[in-house]
Amino acid sequence: MRLTIFSRLIFGYLSIILIMGVMDAYTITKLHRLNSEVSKILDIDERILELKRRLTGSIISQSGYEQKYFITGDPVFREQFAARTKDFTESLTQASALADTDQKRNSLTAAKSEYEKYQALVDRKMRHREMRQDLTESRRTPEEEKVVGRILTELNALESFSRADIHHRMSTLRETAHSATKVTVFMVIITVLLAIATSITVTHHITSPLKVLIQKTKEVSRGIFRGGLRIASPPEVSELADTFDLMCTKLRQVDKIKSEFFSDISHELRTPLTAIKTGISLLKQSGRGPITEKQERLLTILSEESNRLIDLVNTVMDLSKMEAGMMAYNFREEHFIAFIEQVITEMTPLFEAKKIHLRTDLNRSVPPMQLDRERILQALRNLIGNAVKFTPNGGQISIAAGPKEGKVAFSVRDSGPGIPRENLDTIFEKFHQAPLKASERVKGTGLGLALVKHIITSHGGTVWAESETGQGSVFTFVLPC
């Protein structure tokens, strides 16, 4: 089942959105992990370090107030000692709640145990002092010193463990950030490439058949009605291609009917035109009474117009046969340059009548070629005759012929009004003439160049025109040797 254009676009866009969604999900996961590690540093390790500083300050303060109390007996110092004891206990409880590793918990447990020993020693000293009023109890015992030292040691160990965890988490953060950056960049590149590939693929499946249709449309505009489009494309474009094929079939039928009509009409016109021409000749030669000057002029005009109509009918019939593939060609080994000279000789009166300066460049080294004499002469007469028609009085025509890249090339250049570029592809079609100003128009049917194209193509050659408005025109054809 072929997808429609709408379905292909939706599928392509959904693919791109899905890829972007996967990338976003990965990025969010990595950011969540980074945020979790940062939260642990701020909420646990930094908090434990702060509590460690408070515990250290508290135990040192307790030791100082204890000694001052036993020396002076001032109850204020005992109250200060009790307050610091409460602070130490609360801080120790908070630190124990925050501890997230066995090492930290072990250090806090050991510090708590040593602190309980310290409190027991201090309580015993206070009881002895109250009972005996003995000032010797004011001195700090070695055991107290050791217990306080062990407490400070455990607190320092707690700090070391917390800083180690901070360092580890910072390393993890760096590695995660570096990894996330690499993966994100990689995924962005992959996403962009996939998006581009998807867009190109979808666009290609849509535009490729349209390009074929455009090319076929251009062929139709040139009178080529070949159908048979077989395009692997979306249903909408396939339906358009089928409709286009049907249109080409209809156009071929219409073109065939038109060609047959022109052929039939031309055939039917030839006999009465020949009869009219013969009748005019008989009238001019008749001995029955004198012919006035006016009658003579009218008969001459009628004879010329009859000849023109007969030539037109012959041209239409020849073109119809060529299009139908029924024209018989008589190929023989002929001298191409001799044909050009013959046509130039035939048209010398026309050159002289319009005072056209003729320049020729004919290379006589051209070898004999397989040509149909009458058809090549017909093509040359049409091209050189057109140059004469469109060249103004006193203008210039250049005719050249000679070998070119293993072939033989012929060109005729005029100094006429020129042809717009947009019309260069259509002037070789039937009934097409270059648009000219009213003052520059000449009589013509638009069949001559179509006839030339058929003749040259039948000889295996190619023909084209080059021109710019106001710069004259160059008609060129190339024939194989």
Side-chain angles (χ1 to χ4, degrees):
M1 178 180 176
R2 291 178 297 174
L3 296 176
T4 64
I5 293 176
F6 179 78
S7 300
R8 295 183 187 212
L9 290 173
I10 292 298
F11 178 76
Y13 292 143
L14 287 178
S15 300
I16 295 172
I17 292 172
L18 179 62
I19 295 169
M20 294 180 67
V22 171
M23 185 183 71
D24 291 341
Y26 174 81
T27 304
I28 291 171
T29 301
K30 288 297 182 181
L31 289 175
H32 178 73
R33 183 176 178 184
L34 289 172
N35 185 59
S36 176
E37 294 295 329
V38 171
S39 297
K40 287 181 180 179
I41 292 174
L42 295 176
D43 298 338
I44 297 176
D45 295 313
E46 288 291 341
R47 182 63 179 155
I48 288 177
L49 290 176
E50 176 63 25
L51 291 172
K52 181 267 174 185
R53 287 190 291 270
R54 288 175 58 182
L55 289 168
T56 300
S58 179
I59 190 64
I60 292 174
S61 296
Q62 286 181 63
S63 179
Y65 287 127
E66 170 215 338
Q67 194 170 5
K68 291 177 182 178
Y69 170 71
F70 282 110
I71 292 174
T72 63
D74 190 340
V76 174
F77 292 122
R78 184 170 182 175
E79 292 174 359
Q80 293 291 336
F81 177 82
R84 296 296 180 272
T85 299
K86 182 180 179 182
D87 289 342
F88 188 91
T89 302
E90 291 177 353
S91 298
L92 189 63
T93 301
Q94 293 177 17
S96 298
L98 291 172
D100 59 340
T101 63
D102 291 337
Q103 293 175 324
K104 294 175 186 177
R105 285 190 285 269
N106 292 337
S107 294
L108 288 169
T109 300
K112 181 180 181 181
S113 175
E114 295 298 330
Y115 184 70
E116 289 173 351
K117 292 178 182 179
Y118 171 72
Q119 286 291 330
L121 291 173
V122 172
D123 288 343
R124 188 175 61 181
K125 281 177 63 177
M126 286 184 178
R127 286 195 301 271
H128 286 177
R129 190 180 189 286
E130 292 172 354
M131 291 173 59
R132 303 180 183 180
Q133 296 294 320
D134 188 355
L135 295 176
T136 60
E137 294 291 337
S138 63
R139 292 174 298 183
R140 183 179 294 170
T141 62
E143 187 176 359
E144 285 182 89
E145 294 286 350
K146 291 180 180 179
V147 170
V148 171
R150 288 196 292 270
I151 292 173
L152 293 174
T153 299
E154 294 299 335
L155 292 176
N156 288 332
L158 176 66
E159 181 181 9
S160 298
F161 294 143
S162 295
R163 292 193 181 280
D165 283 349
I166 290 175
H167 178 74
H168 174 72
R169 287 191 173 105
M170 290 299 293
S171 298
T172 302
L173 285 174
R174 283 194 296 270
E175 292 175 1
T176 302
H178 181 67
S179 174
T181 301
K182 288 172 61 178
V183 174
T184 301
V185 170
F186 175 75
M187 292 187 71
V188 167
I189 293 173
I190 293 298
T191 301
V192 172
L193 292 177
L194 286 175
I196 293 173
T198 302
S199 300
I200 291 174
T201 301
V202 173
T203 305
H204 176 73
H205 283 297
I206 296 172
T207 58
S208 291
L210 293 180
K211 288 180 179 178
V212 175
L213 285 171
I214 291 171
Q215 186 62 36
K216 287 293 182 181
T217 303
K218 290 180 179 179
E219 290 183 1
V220 169
S221 69
R222 295 196 297 269
I224 303 172
F225 306 126
R226 289 195 301 260
L229 288 175
R230 296 292 180 266
I231 303 174
S233 60
E236 298 94 332
V237 181
S238 294
E239 185 176 350
L240 177 61
D242 292 340
T243 305
F244 187 90
D245 283 341
L246 180 61
M247 180 191 71
C248 287
T249 301
K250 297 292 185 181
L251 288 174
R252 281 199 303 272
Q253 293 174 354
V254 172
D255 192 60
K256 182 180 179 181
I257 292 172
K258 183 185 69 175
S259 297
E260 291 175 351
F261 172 77
F262 277 113
S263 179
D264 293 341
I265 290 296
S266 300
H267 181 74
E268 294 299 326
L269 286 175
R270 176 181 283 181
T271 301
L273 284 173
T274 303
I276 291 171
K277 181 180 178 182
T278 303
I280 293 170
S281 298
L282 291 174
L283 284 174
K284 292 177 70 176
Q285 297 172 5
S286 175
R288 297 181 180 181
I291 298 176
T292 66
E293 183 179 347
K294 183 178 180 179
Q295 290 173 335
E296 179 73 24
R297 186 167 63 254
L298 288 174
L299 289 174
T300 301
I301 293 172
L302 288 173
S303 178
E304 290 176 354
E305 293 300 317
S306 297
N307 289 332
R308 193 172 71 84
L309 286 173
I310 290 172
D311 290 340
L312 176 59
V313 167
N314 290 335
T315 300
V316 171
M317 291 189 68
D318 288 344
L319 190 57
S320 297
K321 289 180 181 178
M322 290 176 184
E323 288 180 337
M326 299 173 62
M327 175 62 73
Y329 288 90
N330 184 20
F331 290 98
R332 293 182 179 180
E333 198 169 81
E334 304 282 0
H335 292 277
F336 179 60
I337 299 299
F339 291 167
I340 301 173
E341 292 174 336
Q342 177 181 335
V343 174
I344 292 174
T345 301
E346 292 173 359
M347 294 191 176
T348 297
L350 298 178
F351 294 130
E352 293 175 349
K354 296 184 72 173
K355 298 180 179 179
I356 293 173
H357 178 63
L358 177 65
R359 296 179 59 184
T360 59
D361 181 13
L362 307 179
N363 190 331
R364 296 185 175 278
S365 64
V366 174
M369 304 162 58
Q370 290 294 320
L371 303 173
D372 183 305
R373 174 186 178 87
E374 294 303 322
R375 298 304 160 203
I376 290 296
L377 286 172
Q378 191 176 16
L380 291 172
R381 287 174 183 136
N382 272 292
L383 289 177
I384 298 176
N386 277 350
V388 174
K389 283 182 186 179
F390 291 100
T391 299
N393 292 341
Q396 179 174 294
I397 293 177
S398 299
I399 299 174
K404 182 180 181 181
E405 299 177 358
K407 298 181 180 181
V408 174
F410 167 85
S411 68
V412 53
R413 178 188 297 271
D414 62 57
S415 57
I419 304 169
R421 289 190 177 185
E422 60 270 19
N423 296 106
L424 290 176
D425 292 332
T426 61
I427 57 175
F428 288 98
E429 298 174 14
K430 291 183 297 184
F431 310 112
H432 278 73
Q433 290 181 303
L436 299 172
K437 298 178 182 178
S439 60
E440 297 172 341
R441 293 189 182 278
V442 295
K443 291 182 179 180
T445 60
L447 295 176
L449 291 178
L451 197 69
V452 170
K453 184 176 181 179
H454 277 285
I455 293 171
I456 298 303
T457 302
S458 298
H459 280 74
T462 55
V463 60
W464 67 91
E466 299 170 87
S467 180
E468 288 187 11
T469 304
Q471 301 295 320
S473 304
V474 181
F475 286 84
T476 304
F477 66 75
V478 177
L479 295 174
C481 292

